[in-house]
Amino acid sequence: MKSYAHDDVPPVWAAHNSCDGDAILPWETGQNIRIEGSDQVYEIVDIRYTPKIWATTHDLVGLDGDLTLQTCFYGEDRMKFIGLRSVTVP
């Protein structure tokens, strides 16, 4: 998402609730996931929660990972950002 572009924030991809974004809400640090359509495995290395309103990219500065997934909580003023790092699986 270009609106989240910042030198100190990994690239962000939105996983909107209307596109099954709720699937990432229960994920926790240390969990490994595979993004559909790719053989690459990623480890969740960082999680940030921000409000939906008044949050800025500065709230994500320093988020660890190679890329970030974002989704919102239903009926709440908060979003979840998940930092993912690619890992090699034996």
Side-chain angles (χ1 to χ4, degrees):
M1 293 177 47
K2 289 183 181 183
S3 62
Y4 285 98
H6 189 288
D7 289 342
D8 297 319
V9 177
V12 177
W13 278 267
H16 294 292
N17 289 342
S18 59
C19 301
D20 298 324
D22 57 336
I24 76 170
L25 292 177
W27 293 354
E28 297 294 335
T29 304
Q31 184 176 344
N32 286 349
I33 61 119
R34 181 172 287 135
I35 296 174
E36 187 174 325
S38 172
D39 291 331
Q40 181 60 55
V41 175
Y42 293 89
E43 180 182 356
I44 298 171
V45 293
D46 201 353
I47 295 176
R48 296 270 177 95
Y49 296 95
T50 70
K52 289 181 190 175
I53 302 170
W54 305 115
T56 70
T57 53
H58 294 287
D59 296 317
L60 301 176
V61 168
L63 183 76
D64 195 11
D66 301 324
L67 62 99
T68 304
L69 296 180
Q70 174 272 332
T71 199
C72 297
F73 286 83
Y74 289 103
E76 296 182 37
D77 178 28
R78 71 183 178 139
M79 298 184 285
K80 184 175 189 176
F81 291 83
I82 296 177
L84 301 174
R85 176 170 294 125
S86 61
V87 295
T88 303
V89 178

